[in-house]
Amino acid sequence: MKQKRPLTGTITAIFSVIKKSLKGETIDYTTGSIRLSVILLAIPMMLEMCMESVFALVDLYFVGHLENSSFAVQTVGLTESVLTIVYSLAIGISMAATAVVARRIGEKDPEAAARAGMQAILIAILINVVISGLGVYFGTDILKLMGAGPEAAVQGTPFIRIMIGGSLVIMLLFLINGIFRGAGNAAIAMKSLWIANLSNIILCPIFINGLGPVPAFGLTGAAIATTLGRSIGVTYQLYHLFNGNSALKVALSYFKPSPDIIRSIVKIASPAVLQFVIASCSWIFLAQLVARTGGDHGSAGYQTAMRLMMFFLLPAWGLSNAAATLVGQNLGAKEIARAEESVLKTAKYNVMYMLAVMLVSLLGAGFLVDSFTNDPLVRDYAVEAVRIIACGYVFYGIGMVMINAFNGAGDTWTPTLVNLVGFWLFQIPLAYVLAKHYGMGPRGVFLALPIAETGITIASFILFKRGKWKTVKV
């Protein structure tokens, strides 16, 4: 019996931590066990990002079983590639919001944190008005520019118009969750994504295949369902923002434009947005290169592999978000050594996760791909891409933590410059040379991904150890 008590106690403690992390209690992350702080933040953040990755996979699954599925899969993939620009803007602004909100929470000034969050939402709304208009008007042209054939572009036009036209909910979903994460309330962020995804899963088959009075919209139905699902998630977020049952107490007066706060957020957000736009544009170029060298089947296979990659990487990104919150709050509390140690512990846990993901991807690539396409040529490209990309997963995991550590400190320029060199001056030229000059086609693009990400991670770690991020004022 004596031998069983420690095991029972350990299991009880584990469930207690999980329950606490999912409950969403207000916790001071500037004191106590760093390991516990990382775990309490990481669990809901990983589950949140798992749900974000499910959006594209749900769409991909349902449209992958439509007639002319290669057109449908290509449209979903190419639209997602374009939407990475929206994601970049949303993530960049949310990074700024997380950094400022976390710093104010660390300084024990929740009112200033709430005001900063609301000003970030104002900025996002203004930016999105332009993006939505351009997406609706130039939908067909965008698909053609991305490498889609004439027929695929025509069939995919309603899909891309709805997705980009409704991109405000994408931005708000990311941004408001960034605000909650900065405040240390990762549980609400997680729950909003769960609600949005559950809604999407229910609505997708209804709008794609039809049910009762709802006609079968096919590919367009996937866009309708996804936009509605995200809108439901945003409604949940807004309820909790104004309900006041968290560290943030929001009032309508906080939406009154404050030039000082807006300048502070823009100062951090501008390089943060550029940072992700650089990465996104690189991915768009690579998607276009695969489409031109591998045709519709190569493009569809690559997009399938990328959706699977994001499914595995987004939880790692969620775990690495814990570093951003801990760095921001601990720098605000003048606990610099604790901030650095939090990053290193987070990186350690991310490596463990990515090792497991790498093994699953290498050994089960065929099984994973089979769920998303019934086209043998698409499958062959996808399986090869999954296995090659997986070889760099451990480095991806470390690199994500480093990027979020810089961003959480408000040092958004460092990862921006690293991305500029790593993606535009290394990854894109490498992919082009391998695909075109050496005649490797899509395989050359697949190889360029893990090679470039490894270099980016090494550079980021060196810069992190130099410690400039510790002196940034927010």
Side-chain angles (χ1 to χ4, degrees), residues 31 178 368 455:
T31 60
L368 294 171

Side-chain angles (χ1 to χ4, degrees), residues 99 217 322:
F217 288 98

Side-chain angles (χ1 to χ4, degrees), residues 406-445:
F406 290 127
N407 289 328
D411 180 17
T412 49
W413 272 115
T414 295
T416 299
L417 294 174
V418 170
N419 279 359
L420 179 63
V421 174
F423 288 120
W424 286 11
L425 301 183
F426 182 48
Q427 186 184 71
I428 290 177
L430 177 63
Y432 186 85
V433 169
L434 292 177
K436 291 280 194 175
H437 182 71
Y438 288 101
M440 297 178 68
R443 181 179 298 167
V445 179

Side-chain angles (χ1 to χ4, degrees), residues 118-119 122 126 252-262:
M118 298 312 100
Q119 297 301 301
L122 277 180
L126 290 173
L252 285 174
S253 61
Y254 293 176
F255 282 95
K256 181 180 178 180
S258 172
D260 290 340
I261 298 176
I262 289 175

Side-chain angles (χ1 to χ4, degrees), residues 127-137 161 163-168:
I127 292 173
N128 194 261
V129 170
V130 178
I131 294 173
S132 296
L134 292 174
V136 171
Y137 189 79
R161 282 178 173 169
M163 292 296 287
I164 299 182
S167 59
L168 175 61

Side-chain angles (χ1 to χ4, degrees), residues 186-318:
I188 292 179
M190 173 199 70
K191 291 171 185 175
S192 67
L193 262 296
W194 278 82
I195 290 171
N197 266 283
L198 180 60
S199 301
N200 185 43
I201 291 170
I202 294 172
L203 294 173
C204 254
I206 294 175
F207 282 95
I208 292 174
N209 301 316
L211 180 66
V214 180
F217 288 98
L219 175 60
T220 303
I224 297 172
T226 300
T227 301
L228 285 175
R230 284 188 168 123
S231 298
I232 293 170
V234 170
T235 301
Y236 175 83
Q237 291 174 323
L238 293 174
Y239 169 78
H240 280 281
L241 268 180
F242 289 96
N243 196 35
N245 291 331
S246 65
L248 297 177
K249 310 297 180 184
V250 176
L252 285 174
S253 61
Y254 293 176
F255 282 95
K256 181 180 178 180
S258 172
D260 290 340
I261 298 176
I262 289 175
R263 276 194 296 270
S264 176
I265 293 172
V266 170
K267 182 180 178 181
I268 300 171
S270 297
V273 169
L274 180 60
Q275 171 189 147
F276 289 98
V277 167
I278 288 169
S280 299
C281 287
S282 174
W283 284 18
I284 290 173
F285 176 85
L286 297 183
Q288 187 180 42
L289 186 58
V290 170
R292 295 192 183 283
T293 59
D296 288 341
H297 290 95
S299 178
Y302 174 70
Q303 298 299 342
T304 300
M306 293 300 288
R307 299 288 76 74
L308 285 167
M309 184 188 81
M310 293 307 297
F311 176 77
F312 289 125
L313 291 192
L314 279 174
W317 183 262

